Amino acid sequence: MTRKLSELVEEQAFTWSGVKPPNMPGVRLAEALESSISGFEALRGLLAFEDEPSSFEAALQATKEVC
Amino acid sequence: MNKPLPSSGVLALSMTDVAAAIRKGDVTAVEATKASLDAFAAHDKAINSAIWLERETALETAEAYDKLQKTGKILGPLHGVPLAHKDMYYKTGKLSTCGSAIRKDFKPTYTATVIERLEAAGSVTLGGLNMAEFAQNPTGHNRHFGHCRNPWGTDYCTGGSSSGSGAAVAARFVFGALGSDTGGSVRLPASICGVTGIKGTQTRVSRYGVMPLSFSADNVGPLCKTAKDCAAFMQVISGHDPKDPTSASEPVPDYLAMLDGDIRGMLIGVPTNYFFDDIDDEVMAAFTEVCKILEARGAIILPVTIPNMDAIATYGGIVSRVEGGTIHAQWMRERPQDYAVHLSARLYGSYGIPAVYYIEGLAKRGPLLKALAAEVFEKCRVFITPTLRTKVPTLLATDIDAGTPGAEKAFMDVSLNTRPINYMGLPSVSVPCGFDSNGLPIGFQIQGRPFAEGLVLKVADAYQRETDWHLRKPPISA
């Protein structure tokens, strides 16, 4: 990555949401997203083609405690 | 009628005990309510647990309940019991600041279902308790209303975001309080203030009329002195609500009846991965004692590996963050200066997270829960971990706004063990289990399958039958 992550976040936040960096801790926490990116990079391939958000409610029922 | 208890002694009772005393006529609703309000008046300056209280209204309500009782009528299991709640539960015409400058004068035009249920059960609502701004920090810092301070040591944080709920219950100002838990916000202040707190299964309790943070991970839950109190509290607030279509239709069992103290032969898992990484020695020692006590009551402790923890931690770290950023976008554009530094800083990063990752986080939630249930809950009924990995930090050490070096990491580390549980949607109760060398409480958390609230409370109650950590009285208390 040639540009700092905080610069990319600044560009994306303003371009898509009209939000500007509020303060320096915000810029530092944006830099800290690097660990999230690494986390997602390590998870590539885990998502199945059929996975969808609504499966969570079904999973709560499928795995629930049975008295 | 028996001789009434002295008002100074009323606040030492648990919520279920004071409710029983009121029903029996040993204590009146007015006596209990006055004792509670007087405790706030006398001691809250030191810990700042309340944002607002309505003394006259509360006493009038209590008086009306006493009159009703004299006619032989009881409203419900909490008849006459004074409670106060995190200041984010809407009640028509009443202040609900959400701990923020932005909503410092906000008065909603509708009432939260959980407030309606608690008041229908007879509780007397005293007012709104301090909280992290918009429920978005794990420490209890609040620039707008003043930091809430720990009754065990006022230099230390209370945990958040339900800071006032943890502090006020620990200090014996109230018998119980609603908190909310999106990444640990009930369990963290419960652990850090030395009280018991539970979040139910995702969807177990209605969120209608509750300030939103993250619709995927928000949970309503109580903080009380004991697991038994939490069971009684959950009994009142749990169950489907037509006003909240996301609330579960799952029947609510009799939680109190499940607290029989019998955990003989119960398999209790202790994770071998993630939850103990870089754990503090004193926290580990307290947790080891927990295992011994549970074993002494007949439970069988066994190691379990929580599968896919990297995925759970990664996904769990962004879902609620993005949802929070989404609902705060307009204010972040128009009035970012009205947020505390740490909050606007945290919200800001959410606008840099691509939607594809957010959706991936939601889509993997079901499969990951199924994998966890198959790997863990086929081997054990519940699993336990420390609620925090560290000793209780000071307010200064975690104060991002003050520019404390290392505060951002210390701040984020507080919720390492609680946040993944929200992502998995599991019921979880935090229970006091000791004190560190600074005199601050240590807690552990118990997790079960979805809708196993009764089971996790049963284990918590069994533990509390052997220990008295939850009954200790902090230096600042009524």
Side-chain angles (χ1 to χ4, degrees), chain B residues 50 189 467:
Chain B
T467 59

Side-chain angles (χ1 to χ4, degrees), chain A:
Chain A
M1 195 179 295
T2 54
R3 294 172 65 192
K4 288 178 68 174
L5 180 57
S6 58
E7 293 173 358
L8 295 173
V9 171
E10 180 175 349
E11 193 172 289
Q12 180 166 339
F14 188 74
T15 303
W16 284 94
S17 301
V19 173
K20 298 174 186 172
N23 44 50
M24 276 313 293
V27 174
R28 286 199 294 273
L29 284 177
E31 281 293 332
L33 284 173
E34 187 67 53
S35 63
S36 295
I37 293 172
S38 301
F40 275 96
E41 193 175 341
L43 298 174
R44 285 176 189 168
L46 189 66
L47 185 76
F49 188 66
E50 293 82 3
D51 285 343
E52 58 167 282
S54 65
S55 68
F56 179 63
E57 282 70 26
L60 286 175
Q61 284 298 319
T63 62
K64 71 183 177 186
E65 178 81 2
V66 179
C67 297

Side-chain angles (χ1 to χ4, degrees), chain B residues 367-407:
Chain B
L368 288 170
L369 173 57
K370 283 186 172 178
L372 185 148
E375 181 68 25
V376 177
F377 291 126
E378 290 299 316
K379 294 177 180 165
C380 58
R381 298 289 307 282
V382 299
F383 71 91
I384 59 176
T385 79
T387 309
L388 285 89
R389 297 180 191 175
T390 62
K391 291 194 282 190
V392 176
T394 62
L395 281 161
L396 181 61
T398 48
D399 195 342
I400 294 173
D401 296 37
T404 304

